[in-house]
Amino acid sequence: MAGRKEEQKKEEPEKDSKEKEENEDKGDSAPIAPDPVTFKKGDYTVHIYLEECRALLAANSDSAIDPIVVMKVWNKDKCTKRVSDQGGSINLVWNEHFFFTRENITAEEMANSSIMFEVRDHNTLWKDSLVGQFYMDMSSVYHQSDHAFIHRWILLSNPKDSDFEKVRGYLKVGISVLHETDKTVDLTIREDVSKKDEDILLPPQIRPSTKQVKIRLLKAESLPVLDTLTDSLDAFCVAKIGGSKVVSSVKVADKATLSAYWYEELYLPVMEPCLTNNIILTFYDRDLMCPKDDLVGSISIPWRIVENGRFSQNRWSNLYGAPALIDNEEANRMNMIEELASHWRGRVLLSITSEKNNNSELKVEKIKDPNLPVKIRDEYEVGKDYELRAQVFNSAALPKEKGEYAVKVSFSGVSTSTSVKKAANNRIDWYESCKRKTSLIPHGAENNLPDVFIYLVKDKKSICFHRIRAKDLADVNGKPFWIRFAADKSIGEVKNEWDAGFLRIRIYVGPYDEDNDDLTVGGWDKPPMPPQESKKILVCNLYQCRNLPAADKNGLADPYVKIYCAGALGSTQNEPQERTLNPTWYRTIPIELSIGAFEAVPPIICYVWDWDRIGGDDLIGMTITDITEATINSRTPTPPKWKSLNMGRVGSEMGEILISYNLYDVGQVVEYEIIPEYDDVSIEISILGMRDLHPAVGFMPVNKAFVKFDLNSLRLTGGSLIKKELQTQPGDPGMNPNVNTVLSFTCKLPKDPLYCPTLTCTVHDNLFAGLYQPLIGTFSLYLGDIIQKSKTSVKSVKNEVEKVVEIQNPFRNSITELAKIFNSLGQAPQSEISIKEIADTNTNASLETKTEDHREEEKIETKSNPDQKPRKFALSFKGLFKKENKKKSKEEKPLLEEVDNTYIARGISIALQQSAKQLNLPDADRKLTIDEAIQGHVVRLPLYKTSSKTNKMTEIKIPDPKFYMSLGYNRAPDDGHRHYRLYLDTELENSEYYGESPFCEYELLKGQSRGLDESIFDKADRLDISGQKTNLKCVGKFKGLVRITPRKYLDYKEKIKIIANGGLNLSNSMTLLGGMLEKDREFDEITRQLLVKTPVTVRVYIIDAFDLEQKDRFSASDPYLKVSLGKEEYNLKDEYQSDISNPKFYKFFSFETTLPGASLLKIQVWDHNDVFSDEKIGETRIDLEDRFFSSKWKKLPEKPIETRRLYHKSSRRPQGSIRLWVDVIAGKSQPPIFEIQPRPPAEFEARLIVWECEDIENMDFEGVSDLYVRAWIKQGKEKETDTHYRAQSGRGCWNWRMKFPLTVSQEETNYRLTLQIWDRDMLSRNDFIASSAFDFEDLAKEAWEAGKRTKKYGEADSGMLASLSKKQSDCFWINLSKVDKKGKVSEAGKIKISFELVPKDAALNNPVGEGRSDPNVDPFLPEPTGRFKWSWNPLSLISQMCGPEFKAKICLSICLILCCMMIVFCIPMIFSNIVTAELT
């Protein structure tokens, strides 16, 4: 057996190195496997924040477009609303959020998922035309920091356009891909103005490079038969990369060889940088009679391999998929994801090259080489024969106890099988040599051999399979090995994954040499012989289970164990442990085996089942152990290990079992006990109460809940209990009852925490005067974890004490005694555990209720570990190193009133703000340390400096918005109303500023995760992590403290006191012991404090929410808040916000309550509906008692803003996030309330005057244009000037005023004025000429804060004068631009405007008219010059109707005509003169 273990260890690194080499060789057929740390199975959300677009290029660059953006994720499309008549060069702001969700998606599916952006030009009657697209793999986003791109520009290209390298525009987006457990990301976080548009995928000013990918698709062979009528298939290929897709022609496969010949080149354009990892080749069978084509298989080729040129030569690539002619969801997944496939589906001969090419194309061409078919035939249809040998030995744990099965082995289109045999006890001994088969491996395929598939066949169906790489079977001397079958889900014959079975087999795949065919090498000349079996006794040492999934409706289970090995079975089925999820057995189960050599023995399978009185039993979990882990003929039990239970596959682990095995020859079995050594301990459970309990029966409210502790779960075999159950008395009514009871009992617990049992606890309701006590929920106390944590602390202290003893020991005897104490606690090696009987009278229990009514007056300081799980454990050393202070300072204040005066000043104290400038503040561009937070730097007041030039106060040292959030606003620059507060991107309890919870908290669970048969009464609402149906839910929470005290340490109490007070310097030990003593003291202190109800004020400051789940079908949700504490609730339904994913709330709530008491603060976000009932989006819950009794939380003078995820019971995914902070204030002194409301929005009138333009392109053939200007602010209503008809020389004049209503607020950032110049046409669509846009955020903020009229200034002159004078004026020029036919943004003239913001009140008091209408003032707008004027003079009309160039052309034409006329008139005269001259 030792040899078998060593062999396995040697094989593992060899296998890893082989894998590495093969992946290097094989890159094409082995797609990049998802990193298990990066991708994991579960629920995912893709959030896309579409910000803006720029420089969109329509098909006709001179025309306008109606852009619409379409996003495609997981075969779902979502799009923006259409925007009409937009010029291509325009910057269009969207600011829309889109969410895509997918549940229970596997890591392989995530690795093959992608995100597609398309910008289309919308057409009402015809199909939309593609402007451009962008394609990226999901992994490219998930591998980023925080799994997100934020404020990134992506470029658009059109792979269908002949000019592919042309940039068709840009989109600015934020994208996050988040697993249900990932931290949420705010995609709308404000950009740093200095770095705006700096961190982008590809800067717009950089021209991308393009590459031409050429796929030479030659042939495919051994394809599956998918057309039953023709016994062939009509094969074609779809190639994709980066959004580009090309389709080959359809070829009918040859019936004899099932080969298809294309001899085609597929051209794909690729733009770099490319965010696509793979080129995907998908092969289909064209089916004209069905709505969709049949999928043959797909090949994923890493792009990096193609770029490196490693695929430039012809190579064979393998196709894998589901069984032929199977069409279901599982089959489609197998066909698309190679790793899941159960069958080989042929191979394809191809090559792929890439080269830089500015004229990349998307096309398919026939290869024009007439000699190519002959070359392919001569080089790639010949090769070497490879042989497949297989010897099948024995099997175990087959699906049916008496089923008939055969084994089939397939490789490269050939198969060999065993005979069909009938199983006995789920096993079959074949011991057969299968018929040797050979397969022709074509030239070039030797380095990429197809995988070998081993099938378990029943009724000619391959119901289970196992897949092995052929390279791993190349050793002709290879030994037999055990494999584990996987159920073929596309067949569906084997429903349960744990029933697939095991098989011992030997396989060889290698070149067939007919001349040197020596079967004696490796022993292949003889069939395998059954081994000489002997009787053995397998002894299962069964200890206990913990944390089993519930298998009964009551949230519990009745577990028993079955041990299966080599057809033999041992079981505890006759003695199931009832109503527990933490059963204990501490017994041995002997099983008689008939086995041969150990390598022939199948693994030991341990099943944990739930016993059901009615119906079949349900599997809870299983674990597999190799026979080599059993100790042979040992006189002591093999040390046990905790083994995870699963449902037959990796990733389905739930629950654990403590178990080990011994193996004996017959007659050498040794009887032994497996009960470990134990200690007498005292267990104290200080119960605070239960919180947020759900009704036990229907909608009947909770009456008086109480807790039961099943002490029977602590009983070891051979022992007994005086009391089998302890319970509290029904006390406070309602869903948040306070129990305030200390249960204390003594019992025996193992010294080694490995063996510690788990205490099973249940919570019941007391109905009808106790006649009916239904179960509310269950929870478990893991005592081993508590003891293990205590031992770790004591071991550290012991080491420190021993160091002190070596240096100074005036009390040697006492120190030695103390060292013994620590040594006995700190050591309990598993190898030294002895077996003893537990006496019946050594366990007793008592019930105490403490009713002390006073509070401790000294402050508790706890050293806490922020990474520790939310359980609080304390090992009791009462009085250890604790000096008694007989006198207490009169100045000491009660603990709960201590926080009253720790709040920093709020409000309008200018003096305090000025003094804050003098403080040595920490840097504001990083997270605070814990000490800095305790010192009060969570809140910072803004600092201002007065400019000597402008005499204006400007803010300095502005904190980084990544770490601080600005709240409130100042009426004057230094009035102290505004402040900055530290911002956390996670829950406070998960941060370093909080630490451990002071209480043990356990969720109460009810429902089941195993054996759930859906019915009207038992409905599964989801799948758990193991893939099983479940309706398990949390029905409340138990809160309290647990302390385990070894009884013998209480006897040393006085000696330890003497050492502590004897003058010995134990500074290091005191530091370590102090933490232990503090926890011990904290237990007593909190226990006493729980008996005192303290009135407190709870203040909740809710700032905003983001990434809210979309509940409305066609728009974002309409969120509003519900906040409740106990019976008090705030419902802000009337203040809902319409169609918004990132609402700003800025709400303050105040509650009066008592602690301990109703402490569960619920913050819910709801979606408002006008017709139907409102729907909850999600909620978060904050336990105020945890914070109120936490010493570390109290040390924070101010609390930081925390980001809390919102959850809904229908999904494991977060439904969004909300930002807030909570203050809990005890005592009568109430500090002022923080102001968090931003400055109220202000109404302005934006006044735009369009004066004139110049250098505008003439759009009409006459050399003139009919110019008008269209303008709008943000996405508001568009306005137009009048039309300057027949504008010449690119000059237009309007003198036209436009007024826009504008609301300015703190949160809005996209203040943008857009101007477009158009040419008006009467009989056709108007022509877009040029556009411009400028942001006026600074102007808007200045006007908003000052509350007065504010003008924008710019260059008053144009051209050379502007560069020379640099004069600033309120009438200024701005440049216009357009996108030319090559996709470049070029200048297209300029326009002169005036722009100002006027407060609404001032605008009403001093109105102005639109256009040039009255009142035409401020400023007066004269009639425009250069306009068309009617005249009866035709020359004047022609002069106005035509441009200078056209007029010149007319003049030249007239001159030419006159010349021609003169020539015509002169010719007769000349002719007559010539004739006359001749005659004379």
Side-chain angles (χ1 to χ4, degrees), residues 749-928:
L749 289 182
K751 287 183 178 181
D752 190 339
L754 178 74
Y755 300 94
C756 271
T758 302
L759 182 60
T760 301
C761 316
T762 55
V763 178
H764 300 259
D765 199 0
N766 191 70
L767 301 176
F768 308 117
L771 297 177
Y772 182 43
Q773 296 182 340
L775 176 73
I776 294 177
T778 65
F779 66 96
S780 301
L781 297 179
Y782 301 101
L783 305 182
D785 292 348
I786 301 174
I787 294 179
Q788 181 63 47
K789 180 176 173 62
S790 302
K791 282 179 59 179
T792 303
S793 300
V794 172
K795 186 175 181 180
S796 300
V797 176
K798 179 195 72 173
N799 294 336
E800 288 296 330
V801 172
E802 289 176 348
K803 291 178 184 178
V804 175
V805 172
E806 293 177 2
I807 300 171
Q808 48 175 0
N809 56 355
F811 303 97
R812 181 182 300 274
N813 294 334
S814 300
I815 291 292
T816 304
E817 191 68 29
L818 179 61
K820 290 180 180 178
I821 296 172
F822 289 135
N823 189 64
S824 63
L825 179 64
Q827 294 180 352
Q830 294 183 11
S831 59
E832 298 179 4
I833 294 175
S834 59
I835 303 170
K836 292 187 178 180
E837 190 80 15
I838 295 183
D840 293 348
T841 59
N842 284 339
T843 305
N844 56 71
S846 64
L847 177 64
E848 295 182 14
T849 305
K850 297 185 178 181
T851 58
E852 251 183 322
D853 191 14
H854 71 280
R855 293 187 292 183
E856 177 65 30
E857 295 183 355
E858 59 181 1
K859 184 179 179 182
I860 298 177
E861 295 184 0
T862 305
K863 293 183 178 180
S864 51
N865 178 5
D867 296 327
Q868 185 61 36
K869 294 179 181 179
R871 301 181 185 139
K872 182 60 61 177
F873 312 130
L875 182 69
S876 176
F877 285 89
K878 296 182 179 178
L880 183 60
F881 291 96
K882 180 178 178 182
K883 296 183 180 180
E884 296 182 0
N885 295 326
K886 296 183 179 179
K887 295 182 180 180
K888 292 186 178 180
S889 173
K890 293 182 180 179
E891 296 180 359
E892 279 189 333
K893 295 183 178 181
L895 174 67
L896 300 181
E897 295 180 4
E898 196 173 38
V899 296
D900 290 352
N901 298 318
T902 60
Y903 289 86
I904 68 169
R906 299 152 164 89
I908 60 172
S909 174
I910 298 177
L912 183 62
Q913 182 186 1
Q914 296 298 328
S915 64
K917 296 180 183 180
Q918 309 303 322
L919 293 177
N920 185 18
L921 296 174
D923 295 336
D925 57 354
R926 60 172 175 82
K927 288 186 70 173
L928 292 178

Side-chain angles (χ1 to χ4, degrees), residues 629-798:
E629 293 187 24
T631 307
I632 302 175
N633 295 330
S634 173
R635 302 188 64 83
T636 59
T638 303
K641 297 178 182 178
W642 283 104
K643 292 181 175 289
S644 297
L645 298 172
N646 60 62
M647 299 300 289
R649 64 174 176 82
V650 176
S652 61
E653 292 77 12
M654 286 185 72
E656 294 178 292
I657 186 170
L658 185 64
I659 197 170
S660 68
Y661 301 92
N662 284 42
L663 190 65
Y664 293 96
D665 295 324
V666 175
Q668 296 189 22
V669 178
V670 177
E671 292 188 3
Y672 50 76
E673 292 289 350
I674 64 173
I675 300 175
E677 287 189 26
Y678 55 84
D679 270 339
D680 291 328
V681 299
S682 172
I683 300 179
E684 296 171 88
I685 305 175
S686 178
I687 306 171
L688 170 59
M690 282 75 73
R691 298 291 178 260
D692 197 30
L693 295 180
H694 292 204
V697 180
F699 296 99
M700 185 178 294
V702 178
N703 185 27
K704 293 184 177 182
F706 62 95
V707 191
K708 287 183 179 180
F709 298 89
D710 182 15
L711 301 187
N712 195 53
S713 61
L714 304 181
R715 181 180 64 85
L716 302 182
T717 304
S720 64
L721 297 169
I722 293 177
K723 207 164 189 178
K724 294 186 177 181
E725 188 177 79
L726 286 179
Q727 71 177 54
T728 63
Q729 296 298 320
D732 295 346
M735 59 189 298
N736 297 293
N738 289 327
V739 178
N740 294 341
T741 298
V742 177
L743 294 180
S744 177
F745 58 91
T746 61
C747 66
K748 294 183 180 297
L749 289 182
K751 287 183 178 181
D752 190 339
L754 178 74
Y755 300 94
C756 271
T758 302
L759 182 60
T760 301
C761 316
T762 55
V763 178
H764 300 259
D765 199 0
N766 191 70
L767 301 176
F768 308 117
L771 297 177
Y772 182 43
Q773 296 182 340
L775 176 73
I776 294 177
T778 65
F779 66 96
S780 301
L781 297 179
Y782 301 101
L783 305 182
D785 292 348
I786 301 174
I787 294 179
Q788 181 63 47
K789 180 176 173 62
S790 302
K791 282 179 59 179
T792 303
S793 300
V794 172
K795 186 175 181 180
S796 300
V797 176
K798 179 195 72 173

Side-chain angles (χ1 to χ4, degrees), residues 1305-1323:
S1305 65
Q1306 176 176 313
E1307 302 302 330
E1308 184 62 51
T1309 58
N1310 290 310
Y1311 294 99
R1312 180 174 294 169
L1313 171 65
T1314 303
L1315 298 166
Q1316 291 182 339
I1317 293 187
W1318 292 74
D1319 171 50
R1320 192 179 299 279
D1321 291 328
M1322 298 298 182
L1323 301 178

Side-chain angles (χ1 to χ4, degrees), residues 3-17:
R4 182 174 172 182
K5 282 187 177 177
E6 288 172 8
E7 235 174 65
Q8 289 174 348
K9 288 180 181 176
K10 286 179 183 176
E11 285 175 3
E12 284 175 9
E14 285 177 10
K15 185 178 178 182
D16 291 341
S17 63

Side-chain angles (χ1 to χ4, degrees), residues 9 599 746 942 1231 1397 1429:
K9 288 180 181 176
E599 58 269 15
T746 61
L1397 299 179
K1429 294 181 180 179

Side-chain angles (χ1 to χ4, degrees), residues 1202-1214:
E1202 55 183 308
T1203 304
R1204 303 190 67 85
R1205 294 191 287 182
L1206 301 169
Y1207 286 95
H1208 194 279
K1209 63 180 181 180
S1210 63
S1211 175
R1212 295 190 297 263
R1213 292 181 297 100

